[in-house]
Amino acid sequence: MDAVLERSRVLKQALIEFVLEAEGELAEALERYIAAGSRSSNNRYDASFEQNLLIDSFLTEGKVGDNTVLDLFLASQPDLPETDRTLVSNWQRSFIGLFAVTEILSDGFELMNWFTAKHYTVKPNDPITLEEMARFKIGEILLSRIAPVTDIYWMFSGPCKPMGNLGKPKLAVAIGNFKENHNNALYSDAPDLLEQAWQSVEQYHQNFVEFFGSDQVTLPGYQLNKKMTDLQEIITKRHLEAAGIDNSKSLAEIAKEAGVTEEEIAAMAAEAGDDSKLVSQIFQGNSTTKMVMPKVDLPDTLKKAEQVTVFTHPRWGQTLLPTYTKFQTILESEDWQDNQEVEKLVRKYLEDSAINAFIWKRLAQQYPTQLEKALQIVLKRPEFRLENDFNALMKEFNKSLEPELPEIASVPLHLHNLFQEALGEVNKSKSKGKSKKPAGKGFR
């Protein structure tokens, strides 16, 4: 182990002790951070792993007032040389990722962050951990935080969860779980991709409003599905025109002119079924990492629904609800308080993670008096006031008050390809086992 890595181990241990032995505001900030980050018992990692992961995150992401934890630690160590201070300060670039082992080194590993396809040389900072990691194989998936040590390599930071060498369907599920549990860390090491993803949400919202004339539309499910397909065709045409691509040209000609391979385009062709539509996904954005707009395809339950209300927002993204008109009708009726469906709908909208704070804000805007009264009755809180208690209610039911990157956001091409290939394998497996047993729940 080189001297810098050894020094990183010593400094990291000193930082951990500084935080865990602290009292007062720092200790309280840590307690709040862990409480806010802990998930329910039905949706959590091993309890010990989760707590250690949160503590490690707090070391580099936590704040006490206007000061970061790293700032407080450095202030408590006035005699540290400048090299050490720079080393510790750089840990603010630490991040959590879902990594694949691409190469095994004598003192560490070459890893690829699955979300950004960026590669890192990562080393354990003590011999015991290196020995424990000796069983890792090429292709092993690791859930871990990493922290920079030098300009050349990083170190593992906090606990590391090996997940095995996953096939494409299980890897896609693991990526989906990571997105759900660490949505704010999807592109930590690629802010340009994050910016493109957010821009794609805003652009989709603009296209939707221009097409439908509103950011809230209610239609029968089958009709909405057809309209959404029409919208995607219009978006595709605009992307092609913006990219200067001629629909009449062959796939080979388009690939040659754009400086990409036919394989990049053909990788999605089978799923999309139309080369010209597919091209728009390939050429979205001008960065070297190509972003792909996900296909909007209503599930069968929504296609068959009598009414589906769809909302779009430039930050919250898109939400599809088959019960919104029912909720509206009840709240608009004179005797709504006698309707037994009120409690079911209120509790569903509170407990369903897919129904975000934006939907609740829209309900509060449209039906402030009725909604406030309904919440008072259902929650048995006669003193509840929307104006004063709304934010606390959202937090109580784990609904973020700030938008998280939504499903409608574009994703890097390599992730899109993985999802499509995994879906193909799942569907193939379902077809083989269809006569034996009901198909299991896949992923979207």
Side-chain angles (χ1 to χ4, degrees):
M1 185 180 299
D2 65 51
V4 179
L5 187 58
E6 170 60 22
R7 187 58 182 160
S8 295
R9 183 190 66 79
V10 172
L11 289 169
K12 182 68 182 292
Q13 186 58 40
L15 174 60
I16 293 171
E17 292 173 359
F18 170 76
V19 170
L20 296 184
E21 294 174 2
E23 298 178 352
E25 291 184 337
L26 180 54
E28 293 170 1
L30 173 61
E31 186 177 348
R32 287 193 300 270
Y33 188 90
I34 292 177
S38 297
R39 285 170 286 278
S40 65
S41 58
N42 295 328
N43 186 31
R44 70 188 305 177
Y45 305 117
D46 169 82
S48 176
F49 175 85
E50 182 181 79
Q51 177 158 324
N52 289 335
L53 189 66
L54 286 169
I55 290 173
D56 195 74
S57 299
F58 180 75
L59 299 180
T60 59
E61 299 174 3
K63 298 191 73 174
V64 181
D66 295 330
N67 297 309
T68 67
V69 172
L70 291 178
D71 289 338
L72 293 174
F73 172 69
L74 291 174
S76 73
Q77 305 284 332
D79 296 331
L80 277 182
E82 192 60 33
T83 52
D84 285 354
R85 304 182 82 81
T86 300
L87 179 57
V88 172
S89 294
N90 282 338
W91 291 346
Q92 65 183 332
R93 293 163 48 209
S94 304
F95 68 95
I96 186 171
L98 197 65
F99 300 95
V101 176
T102 60
E103 186 178 347
I104 298 173
L105 309 174
S106 61
D107 58 350
F109 305 90
E110 289 290 331
L111 303 182
M112 183 196 76
N113 180 359
W114 251 107
F115 279 88
T116 62
K118 290 192 173 186
H119 291 255
Y120 299 89
T121 300
V122 186
K123 304 178 181 182
N125 65 6
D126 68 88
I128 296 176
T129 304
L130 178 61
E131 186 176 344
E132 291 173 349
M133 291 181 169
R135 68 181 186 279
F136 292 173
K137 307 295 184 185
I138 298 291
E140 181 100 25
I141 302 300
L142 308 176
L143 174 64
S144 180
R145 284 172 49 79
I146 64 173
V149 179
T150 70
D151 293 337
I152 299 174
Y153 71 88
W154 297 55
M155 68 178 180
F156 289 100
S157 183
C160 177
K161 182 180 180 66
M163 304 174 71
N165 195 329
L166 304 179
K168 289 176 182 176
K170 288 186 177 180
L171 176 56
V173 170
I175 289 172
N177 290 339
F178 184 96
K179 185 178 186 301
E180 181 178 350
N181 294 327
H182 307 285
N183 189 277
N184 62 344
L186 297 183
Y187 304 113
S188 296
D189 58 337
D192 57 323
L193 296 187
L194 182 62
E195 182 180 358
Q196 287 184 62
W198 278 114
Q199 287 175 350
S200 73
V201 178
E202 183 176 354
Q203 185 60 55
Y204 180 84
H205 170 75
Q206 292 174 0
N207 289 327
F208 184 98
V209 172
E210 185 177 330
F211 180 79
F212 284 103
S214 174
D215 64 356
Q216 178 180 333
V217 177
T218 300
L219 290 169
Y222 74 92
Q223 189 176 345
L224 178 62
N225 190 62
K226 183 179 182 304
K227 289 286 188 182
M228 298 294 274
T229 300
D230 293 342
L231 171 60
Q232 286 191 300
E233 289 181 357
I234 291 173
I235 293 173
T236 292
K237 184 177 180 181
R238 288 177 179 173
H239 286 163
L240 289 170
E241 292 174 351
I245 297 171
D246 186 347
N247 271 327
S248 65
K249 293 184 178 180
S250 70
L251 189 62
E253 290 173 323
I254 292 171
K256 183 178 180 180
E257 290 182 4
V260 298
T261 65
E262 286 186 63
E263 287 73 20
E264 282 186 288
I265 301 178
M268 294 181 288
E271 184 69 24
D274 186 333
D275 288 348
S276 64
K277 294 177 183 177
L278 178 61
V279 176
S280 69
Q281 298 176 327
I282 295 289
F283 296 99
Q284 184 171 339
N286 297 316
S287 72
T288 54
T289 301
K290 299 173 181 67
M291 300 289 281
V292 179
M293 183 183 70
K295 184 180 180 182
V296 179
D297 190 16
L298 270 63
D300 289 341
T301 53
L302 291 185
K303 289 177 184 177
K304 297 174 182 177
E306 279 189 40
Q307 299 287 328
V308 179
T309 302
V310 55
F311 303 82
T312 65
H313 186 274
R315 298 290 289 178
W316 289 98
Q318 179 170 275
T319 305
L320 298 156
L321 296 174
T323 56
Y324 195 80
T325 52
K326 183 178 183 180
F327 208 166
Q328 284 181 303
T329 301
I330 291 174
L331 292 177
E332 289 171 356
S333 64
E334 293 183 2
D335 58 347
W336 67 267
Q337 295 185 45
D338 299 324
N339 195 315
Q340 296 180 352
E341 291 294 311
V342 172
E343 180 165 0
K344 292 180 182 178
L345 285 168
V346 168
R347 291 202 176 278
K348 174 176 175 55
Y349 275 50
L350 285 173
E351 295 168 3
D352 189 341
S353 61
I355 300 175
N356 55 42
F358 167 66
I359 301 300
W360 274 96
K361 288 178 181 177
R362 181 61 61 90
L363 277 169
Q365 290 169 355
Q366 294 176 335
Y367 309 100
T369 304
Q370 300 96 314
L371 187 63
E372 182 174 272
K373 188 65 176 177
L375 287 166
Q376 290 173 351
I377 294 172
V378 172
L379 300 177
K380 296 180 173 57
R381 301 176 189 177
E383 303 301 319
F384 179 87
R385 296 291 180 270
L386 271 176
E387 185 177 354
N388 301 327
D389 304 322
F390 179 83
N391 288 356
L393 179 67
M394 293 296 99
K395 290 181 180 179
E396 178 183 345
F397 286 90
N398 300 313
K399 297 187 184 297
S400 174
L401 294 170
E402 296 296 328
E404 297 177 340
L405 191 63
E407 293 291 334
I408 198 65
S410 294
V411 300
L413 177 60
H414 71 279
L415 280 182
H416 176 84
N417 288 344
L418 169 68
F419 294 148
Q420 297 303 330
E421 291 165 9
L423 184 59
E425 289 187 18
V426 170
N427 289 336
K428 185 177 180 180
S429 176
K430 283 182 179 180
S431 297
K432 287 182 178 179
K434 196 169 185 180
S435 60
K436 299 178 183 179
K437 60 181 181 180
K441 188 175 181 180
F443 65 91
R444 295 182 58 79

